[in-house]
């Protein structure tokens, strides 16, 4: 057992459905318009999974890319964590289904539920396992098909969400590289602000429940907005302080891609310029646990993330939860 080695992302990938649903398409479904959606959220379009597809399909696609980019094979993966709130089924875990698709023989696998903060929560789990020497290579996936749990008659939520997956392989890296600190938190008093009311043990699905769309996302948008604005900047400041850094040390922030106004509020609070924040929500909307790794992968492919850069990831979501991490990019 090797104690306290550094752990970092050594490969990253993502996958999104081909089908695009534009704001103009939404205008045909609910009473909304492109201008309102773009002004209030920054979103222009989102991706929709096809009938018959499931979260594990996209999780596995993203994972294959991440494993290949890490120069590894599925047999080299020691643990699979899938952050999701839209698993293929209530059980078994989607991680087990992904394990089978990838052919990671006998590899332990579990799901993690922390809403849109889920992937950063999972990343912190992977960090602990690799740092401690318990595992060498942990596959950390964030995957959600929110279109499956969207109430397509509710104009205040249906314009926000999209489908996708992102994945990273976490492995040992050189000293002072990789994942440096995390700041995780939750406030269950806000559990009702963002939820799917039925389909669990509290309220099983009945024909009445389905008619009332209680098997779909319910959100108190204003409450979530206020929470997000407060917590995002605070989480970044706290996680930077944990590794003796300030906002001046940041090369790039990869924020949860929920709403451009929430991101702009963090830019203001931290006194940074907008180009320090990577944004791709106009193309994908809010993809929940997939949002941060999908953005990180795009930033990487666009040359916005380079070796030794200080990258901050930050998310917030159902729970209510929040999570931020700082890393020195290791490759
Ligand atoms: N098109 C046109 N008008 C709309 C739409 C729409 N799609 N949706 C709402 N409106 C109207 C409302 O009916 C309301 O009209 P009224 O004033 O006549 O009553 C008006 O616009 C304002 O509506 P609000 O809901 O009060 O608007 P708000 O300023 O709160 O913005 C929004 C709504 C964009 C959803 C905002 O609350 C938000 O972004 N919240 C955070 C959402 C979020 O990020 N959630 C994800 C968290 S992460 C996770 O785990 C999934």
């Amino acid at each position: 057992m090797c104690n306290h080695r550094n752990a970092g992302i050594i490969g990253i990938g993502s996958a999104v459905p081909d089908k695009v649903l534009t704001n103009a398409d939404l205008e045909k479904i609910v009473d909304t318009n492109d201008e309102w959606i773009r002004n209030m959220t920054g979103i222009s379009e989102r991706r929709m999974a096809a009938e018959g597809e499931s979260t594990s399909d996209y999780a596995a696609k993203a994972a294959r890319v991440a494993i290949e980019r890490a120069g590894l094979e599925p047999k080299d993966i020691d643990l699979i964590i899938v952050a999701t709130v839209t698993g293929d089924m209530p059980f078994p875990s989607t991680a087990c289904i992904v394990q089978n698709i990838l052919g990671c023989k006998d590899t332990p696998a579990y799901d993690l539920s922390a809403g849109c903060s889920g992937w950063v929560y999972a990343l912190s789990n992977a960090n602990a396992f690799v740092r401690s020497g318990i595992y060498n290579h942990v596959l950390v996936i964030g995957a959600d098909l929110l279109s499956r749990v969207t109430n397509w008659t509710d104009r205040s939520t249906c314009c926000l969400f999209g489908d996708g997956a992102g994945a990273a392989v976490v492995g040992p890296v050189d000293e002072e590289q990789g994942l440096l600190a995390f700041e995780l938190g939750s406030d269950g008093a806000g559990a009702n602000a963002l939820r799917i009311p039925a389909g669990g043990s509290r309220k099983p699905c009945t024909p009445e429940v389905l008619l009332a769309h209680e098997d779909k996302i319910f959100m108190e948008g204003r409450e979530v907005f206020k929470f997000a604005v407060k917590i995002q900047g605070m989480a970044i400041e706290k996680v930077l302080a944990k590794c003796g850094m300030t906002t001046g040390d940041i090369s790039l922030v990869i924020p949860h891609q929920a709403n451009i106004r929430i991101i702009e509020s963090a830019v203001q609070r931290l006194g940074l310029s907008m180009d320090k924040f990577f944004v791709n929500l106009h193309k994908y909307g809010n993809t929940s646990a997939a949002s941060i790794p999908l953005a990180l992968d795009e930033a990487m492919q666009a040359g916005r993330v380079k070796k030794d850069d200080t990258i901050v990831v930050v998310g917030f979501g159902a729970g209510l939860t929040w999570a931020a991490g700082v890393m020195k990019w290791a490759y």
Side-chain angles (χ1 to χ4, degrees):
M1 186 97 90
C2 146
N3 283 318
H4 305 311
R5 60 183 176 175
N6 270 29
I9 292 176
I10 57 169
I12 185 146
S14 61
V16 292
D18 293 331
K19 189 182 169 197
V20 175
L21 187 78
T22 64
N23 291 349
D25 296 328
L26 268 176
E27 287 176 12
K28 296 174 197 141
I29 303 174
V30 286
D31 178 15
T32 188
N33 59 80
D34 174 55
E35 195 188 353
W36 189 95
I37 301 173
R38 275 192 292 109
N39 287 345
M40 295 298 277
T41 71
I43 299 165
S44 296
E45 57 187 47
R46 64 289 290 146
R47 299 300 179 98
M48 295 288 119
E51 219 180 294
E53 290 181 324
S54 61
T55 298
S56 63
D57 296 328
Y58 288 95
K61 272 188 202 169
R64 280 206 180 98
V65 178
I67 293 169
E68 199 190 311
R69 288 193 183 141
L72 299 174
E73 293 177 36
K75 67 173 172 46
D76 302 316
I77 299 298
D78 303 309
L79 172 70
I80 301 169
I81 312 173
V82 177
T84 186
V85 291
T86 53
D88 288 21
M89 296 175 259
F91 71 84
S93 72
T94 298
C96 285
I97 296 168
V98 171
Q99 179 268 341
N100 185 48
I101 297 173
L102 295 176
C104 298
K105 193 171 161 13
D106 296 338
T107 303
Y110 63 88
D111 284 1
L112 187 155
S113 172
C116 303
S117 314
W119 187 76
V120 182
Y121 264 65
L123 196 63
S124 78
N125 283 198
N127 180 47
F129 280 123
V130 174
R131 253 180 185 269
S132 63
I134 292 174
Y135 294 125
N136 274 325
H137 298 120
V138 180
L139 181 58
V140 186
I141 304 172
D144 269 307
L145 301 190
L146 286 186
S147 66
R148 304 291 202 239
V149 290
T150 295
N151 177 354
W152 292 103
T153 68
D154 176 7
R155 69 175 182 171
S156 66
T157 54
C158 74
C159 59
L160 303 176
F161 305 121
D163 299 338
V169 177
V170 173
V173 296
D174 289 345
E175 235 176 277
E176 294 177 19
Q177 294 280 320
L179 299 157
L180 303 179
F182 285 93
E183 171 69 22
L184 309 182
S186 76
D187 177 10
N192 281 342
L194 185 52
R195 69 193 199 277
I196 296 178
S201 58
R202 185 181 296 275
K203 195 181 241 193
C205 275
T206 61
E208 293 73 30
V209 156
L210 297 181
L211 263 179
H213 303 289
E214 287 183 297
D215 59 329
K216 300 290 191 293
I217 296 172
F218 173 87
M219 185 176 69
E220 286 168 22
R222 284 258 162 102
E223 288 314 302
V224 177
F225 191 90
K226 279 191 275 178
F227 157 74
V229 163
K230 189 183 79 185
I231 213 68
Q232 205 181 210
M234 199 182 285
I236 292 176
E237 283 166 352
K238 281 194 175 171
V239 78
L240 285 171
K242 277 185 177 170
C243 41
M245 290 186 180
T246 66
T247 51
D249 295 305
I250 296 175
S251 308
L252 191 67
V253 179
I254 311 285
H256 172 42
Q257 307 284 318
N259 185 317
I260 193 68
R261 293 184 299 140
I262 294 172
I263 295 174
E264 284 166 355
S265 76
V267 169
Q268 243 179 1
R269 174 182 171 133
L270 300 170
L272 289 167
S273 59
M274 196 63 198
D275 63 356
K276 289 275 179 192
F277 282 69
F278 187 80
V279 176
N280 67 357
L281 60 83
H282 52 288
K283 295 193 288 182
Y284 304 116
N286 178 348
T287 56
S288 189
S291 137
I292 294 172
L294 175 57
L296 184 54
D297 183 32
E298 281 208 1
M300 179 76 194
Q301 303 318 314
R304 299 276 307 272
V305 177
K306 296 177 290 299
K307 189 169 176 2
D308 293 327
D309 277 357
T310 299
I311 305 296
V312 173
V313 289
V314 62
F316 55 87
L320 297 167
T321 56
W322 60 92
V326 181
M327 59 191 112
K328 271 257 177 256
W329 198 256
Y331 69 98

